[in-house]
């Protein structure tokens, strides 16, 4: 409770005044200490806890009111000092106010005015104490802020240093990356998701003679320089979804010294699968093309040159064979038959090589006349049966002819090749089925065997030039050059048809081609 009681020192040498005021103020709830001399007042101020209010006359015994005020103010600047005097003068009032008095009342004073003055003084004291507390709080907060800002500066400094390190690392890895892509022997362009070039390497700049690079260019601008076909086709469908078909391509660069270039495109996808760019790689295939052309030329010339002497060897052998056996030594006829058979085989090989070079040069020159594939298939089977007794040939054909527009010799060559493969790759014999049937607007010819089959990973390659499945094992065992299917496909393609294969290792294979059916009524 003591802390909340307002303590008041009353200084006056008039015992009557002291008594009256003491009583009045006590009734107001103040704890009042009364002294009648300046000395006692100074002693009370020095001895006791600071008073909340000092009410003093200016003229008192042994010392004056101003001295008392100074002492009280010194003891506690927040003490409310009110001067009471009977001798009003401006000078004494100013002096009192200078020494810390908060108010000045004239004796005899109105008690209500006195009480009001004390209350105001106390209110001011309370406010100034509160203000003081706020100031202290603010100073404490300032101190905390200063401490924080010190820490913050330290952190900012550390973060800046780390950032500088990272920037340097990033610059170094960027330098390494560009050194790597610049040392590539393929051209590289990287597009961002807006279709603008963000990266190009030294090779691509040299290949397309663009020393200033492609940075920032659009797909269209790049195409104008490189001469490449469109990179992607955007086609909104009915749902307004755009489907993009990115194209790999081979093309020649424009200009006085064109280069042959192969382009490979891949999408760059973010972790969530969205496309964030495209990577385009350009390979200069000019030299490879030249070498391929030289090879094709060699193939063509060599097979032509081989064919001429071979034709005459074969011709003369057959001529000799037709002569009477009596003209020759006993084994002469056998020798001639061997020579003829081997020459025929060699002729087939040379013919195959010639066909390959024709397909490569796109000069196969097939004729197009109505051909009955039913009769053709039956004829080929008839020719094969006698020489392959361990195979059962099953033919399933429609009763009526099935016409296509094609080259009879070439079609026979295809069917013969498929059949001889069926026989060759079913070394343990078995059934060889040949089926011909109508299939919509097409005629389909199917050759099915129960032979060794083709491994799934090799199936896509069997129509390639010189390809033989697992060649080290097979070629020696089965012979051949891996050209039959390539040529067959070349012929069927040329006639506008399709040749396909299905196969299961150990169970057998099925080759089938389709060609558009020819009807007499067709124009
Ligand atoms: P070749 O028979 O002269 O090797 P082909 O072009 O006719 O050349 O055939 C290519 C390859 O396809 C063969 O080497 C063989 O591995 C495989 N092949 C073709 N036909 C069959 C078949 N009916 N059964 C199993 N493999 C086959």
């Amino acid at each position: 409770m003591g802390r909340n009681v307002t303590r008041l020192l009353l200084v006056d040498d008039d015992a009557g005044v002291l008594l009256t005021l003491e009583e009045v103020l006590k009734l107001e709830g103040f704890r009042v200490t009364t002294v009648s001399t300046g000395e006692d007042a100074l002693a009370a101020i020095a001895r006791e806890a600071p008073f909340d209010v000092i009410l003093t006359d200016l003229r008192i015994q042994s010392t004056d009111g101003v001295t008392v005020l100074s002492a009280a103010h010194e003891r506690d600047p927040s003490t409310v000092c009110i001067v009471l005097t009977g001798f009003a003068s401006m000078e004494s009032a100013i002096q009192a106010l200078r020494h810390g008095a908060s108010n000045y009342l004239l004796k005899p004073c109105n008690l209500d005015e006195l009480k009001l003055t004390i209350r105001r003084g106390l209110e001011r004291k309370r406010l100034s104490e509160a203000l003081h507390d706020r100031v202290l709080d603010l100073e404490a907060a300032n101190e905390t802020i200063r401490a924080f800002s010190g820490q913050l500066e330290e952190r900012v400094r550390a973060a800046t240093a780390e950032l500088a390190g990272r920037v340097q690392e990033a610059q170094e890895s960027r330098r390494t990356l560009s050194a790597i892509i610049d040392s590539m022997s393929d051209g590289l362009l990287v597009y961002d998701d807006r279709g603008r070039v963000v990266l190009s390497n030294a090779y691509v700049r040299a290949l397309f003679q663009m020393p200033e690079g492609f940075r920032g260019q659009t797909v269209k601008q790049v195409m104008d320089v490189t001469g490449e076909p469109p990179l992607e086709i955007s086609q909104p469908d009915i749902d307004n979804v755009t489907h993009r078909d990115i194209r790999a391509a081979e093309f020649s660069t424009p200009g006085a010294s064109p280069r042959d270039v192969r382009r490979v495109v891949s999408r760059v996808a973010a972790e969530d699968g969205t496309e964030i760019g495209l990577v385009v790689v350009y390979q200069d295939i000019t030299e490879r093309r030249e070498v391929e052309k030289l090879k094709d030329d060699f193939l063509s010339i060599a097979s032509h040159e081989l064919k001429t002497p071979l034709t005459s060897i074969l011709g003369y052998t057959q001529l000799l064979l037709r002569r009477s056996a009596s003209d020759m030594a006993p084994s002469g006829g056998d020798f001639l038959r061997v020579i003829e058979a081997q020459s025929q085989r060699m002729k087939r090989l040379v013919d195959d090589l010639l066909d390959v070079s024709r397909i490569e040069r796109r000069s196969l020159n097939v004729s197009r006349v109505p051909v009955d594939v039913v009769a053709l298939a039956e004829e080929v089977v008839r020719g094969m049966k006698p020489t392959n007794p361990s195979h059962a040939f099953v033919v399933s054909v429609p009763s009526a002819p099935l016409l296509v527009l094609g080259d009879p010799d070439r079609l026979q060559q295809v069917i013969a090749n498929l059949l001889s493969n069926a026989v060759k790759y079913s070394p343990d014999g078995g059934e060889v089925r040949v089926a011909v049937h109508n299939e919509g607007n097409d005629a389909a010819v199917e050759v099915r065997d129960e032979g060794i089959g083709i491994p799934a990973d090799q199936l896509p390659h069997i129509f390639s030039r010189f390809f033989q499945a697992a060649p080290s094992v097979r070629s020696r065992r089965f012979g051949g050059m891996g050209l039959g299917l390539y040529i067959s496909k070349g012929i069927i393609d040329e006639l506008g048809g399709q040749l396909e294969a299905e196969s299961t290792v150990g169970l057998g294979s099925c080759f089938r081609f389709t060609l558009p059916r020819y009807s007499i009524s067709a124009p």
Side-chain angles (χ1 to χ4, degrees):
M1 166 175 172
R3 193 68 197 100
N4 292 332
V5 173
T6 305
R7 297 177 60 250
L8 195 146
L9 178 65
L10 191 56
V11 190
D12 205 312
D13 49 7
D14 182 328
V17 172
L18 266 189
L19 206 61
T20 317
L21 289 183
E22 186 182 7
E23 284 314 309
V24 170
L25 294 172
K26 271 185 179 166
L27 281 176
E28 282 299 302
F30 297 123
R31 184 191 290 169
V32 184
T33 306
T34 54
V35 288
S36 53
T37 67
E39 254 172 27
D40 290 347
L42 292 177
I45 289 168
R47 186 183 61 233
E48 295 189 25
F51 289 97
D52 297 304
V53 183
I54 292 185
L55 202 61
T56 181
D57 194 348
L58 271 186
R59 296 211 173 164
I60 39 176
Q61 282 176 23
S62 69
T63 177
D64 63 359
V66 171
T67 311
V68 171
L69 285 181
S70 301
H73 200 250
E74 206 166 285
R75 180 77 209 275
D76 181 356
S78 75
T79 301
V80 178
C81 299
I82 299 167
V83 168
L84 260 182
T85 185
F87 300 92
S89 85
M90 192 57 89
E91 200 187 325
S92 61
I94 291 170
Q95 210 186 358
L97 290 171
R98 272 201 196 123
H99 284 81
S102 63
N103 220 324
Y104 187 95
L105 291 173
L106 286 181
K107 269 190 201 170
C109 67
N110 177 316
L111 285 178
D112 285 338
E113 194 184 351
L114 175 66
K115 284 186 243 166
L116 189 67
T117 306
I118 291 173
R119 297 251 171 257
R120 280 210 196 112
L122 281 171
E123 180 60 14
R124 209 174 302 135
K125 172 174 158 49
R126 195 184 60 71
L127 288 174
S128 90
E129 276 168 358
L131 192 65
H132 182 68
D133 286 350
R134 286 287 83 73
V135 169
L136 286 184
D137 285 351
L138 276 177
E139 274 173 6
N142 267 341
E143 192 45 49
T144 314
I145 289 170
R146 260 197 297 282
F148 270 140
S149 81
Q151 284 175 9
L152 203 64
E153 259 173 44
E154 180 51 35
R155 286 202 196 146
V156 168
R157 206 192 50 69
T160 311
E162 194 186 328
L163 202 65
R166 292 264 163 88
V167 168
Q168 199 182 348
E169 257 174 45
Q171 278 169 345
E172 265 165 30
S173 56
R174 209 185 153 81
R175 270 197 293 275
T176 313
L177 187 69
S178 42
I180 290 170
I181 65 164
D182 275 344
S183 61
M184 280 171 68
S185 53
D186 286 331
L188 177 82
L189 282 186
V190 180
Y191 290 92
D192 65 11
D193 58 347
R194 295 172 309 130
R196 291 197 180 260
V197 174
V198 285
L199 200 76
S200 67
N201 70 350
Y203 193 93
V204 89
R205 295 191 286 271
L207 180 63
F208 298 114
Q209 295 171 7
M210 275 284 281
E212 65 273 34
F214 291 92
R215 208 181 171 81
Q217 293 206 351
T218 61
V219 173
K220 173 82 181 61
Q221 286 169 320
V222 173
M223 267 169 61
D224 289 344
V225 175
T226 60
E228 69 195 277
L231 197 57
E232 46 198 284
I233 303 166
S234 297
Q235 242 169 18
D237 65 10
I238 33 179
D239 296 329
N240 248 337
V241 179
T242 300
H243 292 289
R244 299 208 297 172
D245 169 18
I246 296 184
R247 296 222 162 151
E250 289 185 6
F251 59 96
S252 298
T253 60
S257 45
R259 309 289 299 172
D260 293 324
V261 178
R262 181 173 149 69
R263 181 186 74 189
V264 184
V265 188
S266 23
R267 295 174 198 272
V268 187
E271 268 172 21
D272 64 358
T274 51
E275 183 180 310
I276 52 173
L278 292 178
V279 174
V280 187
V281 174
Y282 300 92
Q283 293 161 341
D284 187 342
I285 53 167
T286 315
E287 265 101 54
R288 204 176 79 199
R289 281 260 174 94
E290 275 163 13
V291 170
E292 271 169 15
K293 191 174 170 304
L294 280 177
K295 212 171 66 188
D296 289 343
D297 289 350
F298 167 76
L299 196 67
S300 166
I301 294 166
S303 40
H304 266 113
E305 290 304 311
L306 284 171
K307 193 167 172 162
T308 318
L310 196 59
T311 311
S312 44
I313 292 171
L314 202 57
Y316 284 116
T317 312
Q318 285 163 346
L319 199 71
L320 280 175
L321 266 173
R322 277 201 289 276
R323 290 220 177 137
S324 96
S326 58
D327 289 357
M328 295 181 211
S331 54
D334 293 343
F335 292 164
L336 280 176
R337 265 183 285 280
V338 172
I339 292 172
E340 192 212 6
Q342 291 305 321
S343 306
Q344 285 288 15
R345 193 163 162 230
M346 208 182 211
K347 181 176 173 297
R348 278 196 300 276
L349 295 177
V350 172
D351 283 342
D352 278 358
L353 288 176
L354 264 174
D355 282 347
V356 170
S357 93
R358 288 191 190 110
I359 291 172
E360 290 297 309
R361 290 157 182 258
R362 305 207 190 321
S363 60
L364 200 55
N365 292 334
V366 290
S367 66
R368 284 178 174 79
V369 295
V371 188
D372 175 14
V373 278
V374 172
L376 213 57
E378 283 173 327
E379 188 188 331
V380 178
V381 173
R382 245 191 327 274
M384 294 210 59
K385 261 184 182 167
T387 43
N388 296 287
S390 54
H391 289 84
F393 290 88
V394 181
V395 182
S396 134
V397 293
S399 49
L402 202 50
L403 294 181
V404 299
L405 212 53
D407 185 320
D409 293 340
R410 288 302 194 180
L411 285 177
Q412 190 170 26
Q413 181 183 351
V414 173
I415 300 173
N417 176 246
L418 297 183
L419 264 173
S420 67
N421 277 351
V423 168
K424 182 159 71 164
Y425 296 108
S426 44
D428 305 327
E431 210 171 69
V432 175
R433 287 181 166 272
V434 181
V436 181
H437 51 260
N438 256 319
E439 214 173 73
N441 291 329
D442 291 337
V445 178
E446 207 173 273
V447 178
R448 191 181 287 273
D449 65 57
E450 299 174 335
I452 57 173
I454 302 162
D457 62 326
Q458 305 197 11
L459 200 58
H461 307 293
I462 54 168
F463 297 107
S464 311
R465 271 194 305 181
F466 302 109
F467 182 86
Q468 296 186 303
S472 56
V473 184
R474 297 245 176 106
S475 55
R476 253 170 263 134
R477 189 169 160 199
F478 297 110
M481 287 200 295
L483 292 178
L485 287 180
Y486 173 77
I487 296 167
S488 299
K489 187 160 168 44
I491 292 170
I492 297 296
D493 283 350
E494 185 68 29
L495 288 172
Q498 284 196 322
L499 172 59
E500 304 157 335
E502 282 170 22
S503 188
T504 311
V505 171
L507 289 182
S509 313
C510 175
F511 286 80
R512 135 201 162 89
F513 68 83
T514 52
L515 284 170
R517 234 179 39 233
Y518 173 77
S519 67
I520 314 217
S521 60

